Amino acid sequence: SQQGEEDPQALSIQEGENATMNCSYKTSINNLQWYRQNSGRGLVHLILIRSNEREKHSGRLRVTLDTSKKSSSLLITASRAADTASYFCATWGGSFQKLVFGTGTRLLVSP
Amino acid sequence: NAGVTQTPKFRVLKTGQSMTLLCAQDMNHEYMYWYRQDPGMGLRLIHYSVGEGTTAKGEVPDGYNVSRLKKQNFLLGLESAAPSQTSVYFCASRHNLAGDQETQYFGPGTRLLVL
């Protein structure tokens, strides 16, 4: 079963706007990761946030983590058409041997 | 470095045929994974390997077999393909140096259509 559930399933915005997507997970975690998948390609790691961190930044990305609510959010600021992709959260399951991915948020950024 | 590569990129099979998908990585990673991705289902883990000569079942292993005879290669086999195995298959790999701080590297995917 999926550990993470992203919300919304799909998001459509204009270039320059901010995009926020959320991830909820079920069990306690040591860290949570976000990945991006461009259409027809493999996933690419974006950012990792540890369970003792509340917020982390990387360029135009901002990730927050609320372990009490078992949720995380990914904010992309000043979005660009090139940000069009699917975004997945992932957490470790089973002795840190395997990542479990959510169902993803499809982001469409229109010029 | 080529990273993670997958062969073939696309394949059409008839029901009952067999085939092997090859994943290769040149990063000396210990762990390797096979996922399938279907619309609305996200990525589901089929099998994985924590080292040469070892394999383990993931979330959806039925109908698939795997082998890790060499550290750099991870093969996924379909003995008797079924239409339900139509999907996009992704291979991934990672180190095991930093435990849960490690991230996975993905291949470009193999599109499989079973008629």
Side-chain angles (χ1 to χ4, degrees), chain B residues 29-85:
Chain B
H29 285 171
E30 293 83 11
Y31 285 43
M32 296 187 75
Y33 304 83
W34 275 109
Y35 294 89
R36 60 177 289 172
Q37 185 176 35
D38 303 289
M41 299 291 290
L43 278 88
R44 292 183 292 171
L45 183 64
I46 304 172
H47 286 281
Y48 65 104
S49 169
V50 302
E52 182 178 326
T54 70
T55 62
K57 293 181 179 179
E59 189 183 354
V60 288
D62 294 342
Y64 305 95
N65 57 75
V66 288
S67 65
R68 182 99 182 267
L69 298 180
K70 295 182 179 180
K71 187 177 184 179
Q72 63 268 33
N73 296 338
F74 195 29
L75 278 65
L76 178 70
L78 286 72
E79 292 184 348
S80 179
S84 61
Q85 294 178 304

Side-chain angles (χ1 to χ4, degrees), chain B residues 12-17 81-83 86 112-115:
Chain B
V12 178
L13 289 179
K14 294 181 180 178
T15 296
Q17 287 185 317
T86 292
L112 176 65
L113 174 61
V114 183
L115 302 174

Side-chain angles (χ1 to χ4, degrees), chain A residues 30-31 37 92 96-97, chain B residues 33 37 48 94 100-101 104:
Chain A
N30 280 15
N31 64 55
Q37 183 182 32
W92 287 107
F96 309 127
Q97 289 189 345
Chain B
Y33 304 83
Q37 185 176 35
Y48 65 104
R94 70 169 177 92
D100 65 334
Q101 304 304 306
Q104 289 186 187

Side-chain angles (χ1 to χ4, degrees), chain A residues 30-54:
Chain A
N30 280 15
N31 64 55
L32 184 143
Q33 302 182 33
W34 284 91
Y35 286 75
R36 182 185 72 212
Q37 183 182 32
N38 290 89
S39 180
R41 312 291 280 274
L43 278 72
V44 175
H45 177 258
L46 291 176
I47 193 166
L48 180 153
I49 185 166
R50 296 187 177 89
S51 60
N52 60 357
E53 297 176 310
R54 290 296 168 259

